[in-house]
């Protein structure tokens, strides 16, 4: 039994704007299919159901289609029924015949295209490089609807029309797919004879190709990882040293790329004043104490000096004054002298 429409169901219906490229036949078929799904209408639409369906459908008209509906109302046309009522069965006050909303939309917005042009458009369809099998299949189906635009919805429901449509869909889809898909799909002992099976066979090959590409990419990644693993720690250290050498400056020749120990140029003498100096000073004196040993770099040996030790109470050693420190010798600071316990000489 038919039930009235509710707001949540009406919101699911598609809109129709009447713009170029809009398929009024397709929109009408969707409205009828959803109306039956929601139980708004019965198999045979009654007068009450026709009025309710027209009221619902008018709310989904926008753009040019809504403007056309408003113009029809101002002109006195009755658009409050879905199906047209012939004059022979129309109620007496409403004679002559009443044009329904469905037929009015078809008369206004149905595309006027010749059968030859529509057929040629379908025959020129080819699958694009960025298209999948399923996307191309849907595109061919839409082109078939355009080709058969002049056929009424009643005739499209006939078994003969469905058979002819499926045969044309099979032919045009098979002609538009790449040769590798065509050869794969039609091979074997039982090649497909209907468009649905043909599409599934082509989708199988597409899935196999996609899987092969993923496996190849994975193998390439694994091979790259294996090459990295084959490098030993010594190899990695050698690469790091080579990278350091590239920016390292040799102290001998002042060139980059090697160390001074492996410099190919003759070793240059060190500038004066950078030699090592050694020297010891000895002296005798009372008390115990030890001076520093030889020392700072210098061109010649340092001159040792024996400072007089200074003993405090109970023989406690006191450091010598600052001016007792050793002299510089030979261009560099000499080492500190060494003194031992003894008596004044």
């Amino acid at each position: 039994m038919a039930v009235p429409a509710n707001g949540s169901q009406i919101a699911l219906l598609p809109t129709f704007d009447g713009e170029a490229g809009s398929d009024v036949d397709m929109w009408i078929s969707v409205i009828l299919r959803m109306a039956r799904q929601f139980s708004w209408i019965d198999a045979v639409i009654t007068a009450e159901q026709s009025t309710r369906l027209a009221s619902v459908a008018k709310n989904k008209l926008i753009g040019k289609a809504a403007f056309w509906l408003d113009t029809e109302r101002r002109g006195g046309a009755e658009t409050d029924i879905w199906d047209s009522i012939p004059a022979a069965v129309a109620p007496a006050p409403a004679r002559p015949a009443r044009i329904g909303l469905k037929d009015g939309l078809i008369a206004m917005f149905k595309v006027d295209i010749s059968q030859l042009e529509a057929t040629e458009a379908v025959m020129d369809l080819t699958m694009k490089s960025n298209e999948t099998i399923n996307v191309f299949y849907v595109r061919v189906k839409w082109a078939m609807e355009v080709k058969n635009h002049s056929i009424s919805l009643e005739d499209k429901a006939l078994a003969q029309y469905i058979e002819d449509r499926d045969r044309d869909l099979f032919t045009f889809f098979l002609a538009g797919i790449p040769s590798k898909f065509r050869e794969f799909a039609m091979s074997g002992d039982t090649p497909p004879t209907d468009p649905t099976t043909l599409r599934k066979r082509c989708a199988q090959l597409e899935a196999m190709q996609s899987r092969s590409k993923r496996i190849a990419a994975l193998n390439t990644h694994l091979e790259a990882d294996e090459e990295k693993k084959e490098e030993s720690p010594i190899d990695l250290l050698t690469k790091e040293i080579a990278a350091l050498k590239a920016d390292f400056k040799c102290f001998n020749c002042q060139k980059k790329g090697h160390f001074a120990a492996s410099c190919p140029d003759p070793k240059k003498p060190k500038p004066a004043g950078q030699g090592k100096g050694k020297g010891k000073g000895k002296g005798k004196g009372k008390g115990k104490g030890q001076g520093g040993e030889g020392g700072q770099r210098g061109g010649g040996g340092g001159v040792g000096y024996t400072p007089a030790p200074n003993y405090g109470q109970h023989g406690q050693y006191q450091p010598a004054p600052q001016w007792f420190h050793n002299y510089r010798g030979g261009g560099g600071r000499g080492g500190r002298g060494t003194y031992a316990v003894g008596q004044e000489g």
Side-chain angles (χ1 to χ4, degrees), residues 144 160-174 193-195:
M144 291 292 301
Q160 185 60 47
Y161 168 80
I162 295 175
E163 181 181 348
D164 294 340
R165 181 202 62 190
D166 289 348
R167 183 175 60 251
D168 290 344
L169 179 58
F170 179 90
T171 302
F172 294 133
F173 178 72
L174 184 64
T193 57
D194 63 279

Side-chain angles (χ1 to χ4, degrees), residues 23-65:
D23 192 336
V24 66
D25 282 337
M26 183 65 65
W27 181 78
I28 290 173
S29 67
V30 172
I31 295 295
L32 287 173
R33 184 171 66 252
M34 297 185 71
R36 291 190 176 93
Q37 180 180 351
F38 294 139
S39 300
W40 297 345
I41 57 177
D42 297 323
V44 178
I45 302 176
T46 64
E48 181 182 359
Q49 294 170 4
S50 178
T51 302
R52 289 190 305 202
L53 183 58
S55 177
V56 170
K58 284 188 289 187
N59 290 326
K60 308 305 292 186
L61 298 179
I62 60 174
K64 289 183 178 180

Side-chain angles (χ1 to χ4, degrees), residues 309-330:
N310 184 15
Y311 294 92
Q313 191 176 5
H314 304 294
Q316 184 178 1
Y317 174 77
Q318 297 294 330
Q322 181 67 27
W323 56 273
F324 274 113
H325 284 214
N326 295 336
Y327 299 103
R328 296 178 180 271

Side-chain angles (χ1 to χ4, degrees), residues 278-283 292-294 301-306 326 334-338:
K278 296 181 180 179
K280 292 184 179 180
K282 293 183 179 180
E293 294 184 355
V303 177
Y305 191 87
T306 305
N326 295 336
R336 291 181 180 177
T338 301

Side-chain angles (χ1 to χ4, degrees), residues 120-300:
E120 288 177 348
V122 179
M123 293 178 64
D124 290 339
L125 283 177
T126 55
M127 182 176 169
K128 299 177 181 178
S129 59
N130 60 345
E131 274 186 325
T132 63
I133 284 293
N134 289 331
V135 171
F136 178 63
Y137 182 81
V138 171
R139 192 155 64 92
V140 175
K141 285 187 68 175
W142 275 101
M144 291 292 301
E145 292 294 333
V146 175
K147 184 179 85 69
N148 299 330
H149 74 281
S150 59
I151 302 175
S152 65
L153 294 177
E154 291 78 9
D155 291 340
K156 287 182 177 181
L158 299 176
Q160 185 60 47
Y161 168 80
I162 295 175
E163 181 181 348
D164 294 340
R165 181 202 62 190
D166 289 348
R167 183 175 60 251
D168 290 344
L169 179 58
F170 179 90
T171 302
F172 294 133
F173 178 72
L174 184 64
I177 59 178
S179 58
K180 58 183 177 181
F181 286 96
R182 188 161 50 248
E183 294 171 359
F184 176 83
M186 301 307 292
S187 62
D189 298 332
T190 56
T193 57
D194 63 279
T196 303
T197 306
L198 176 61
R199 178 187 61 81
K200 290 181 179 179
R201 291 288 298 274
C202 293
Q204 289 177 358
L205 176 59
E206 188 175 56
M208 292 168 56
Q209 291 180 337
S210 178
R211 188 162 51 249
S212 298
K213 289 180 180 179
R214 291 197 299 269
I215 292 175
L218 179 61
N219 289 335
T220 303
H221 182 71
L222 292 176
E223 290 175 359
D225 288 345
E226 288 297 328
E227 290 179 358
K228 291 180 180 179
K229 291 180 181 178
E230 290 177 358
E231 292 183 344
S232 65
I234 297 178
D235 295 334
L236 296 175
L237 182 60
T238 303
K239 287 184 178 180
E240 292 180 2
I241 293 175
L244 290 173
K245 279 186 175 182
D247 292 332
F248 191 84
K249 191 173 183 180
C250 174
F251 290 118
N252 186 51
C253 65
Q254 304 301 314
K255 296 178 182 178
K256 291 185 178 182
H258 61 272
F259 298 107
S262 58
C263 182
D265 295 346
K267 293 189 180 296
K268 296 180 180 179
K270 295 181 180 179
Q274 293 187 359
K276 293 183 179 180
K278 296 181 180 179
K280 292 184 179 180
K282 293 183 179 180
K284 294 181 180 181
K286 295 181 180 180
K288 294 184 179 180
Q290 183 174 352
E293 294 184 355
Q296 303 296 329
R297 292 183 179 181

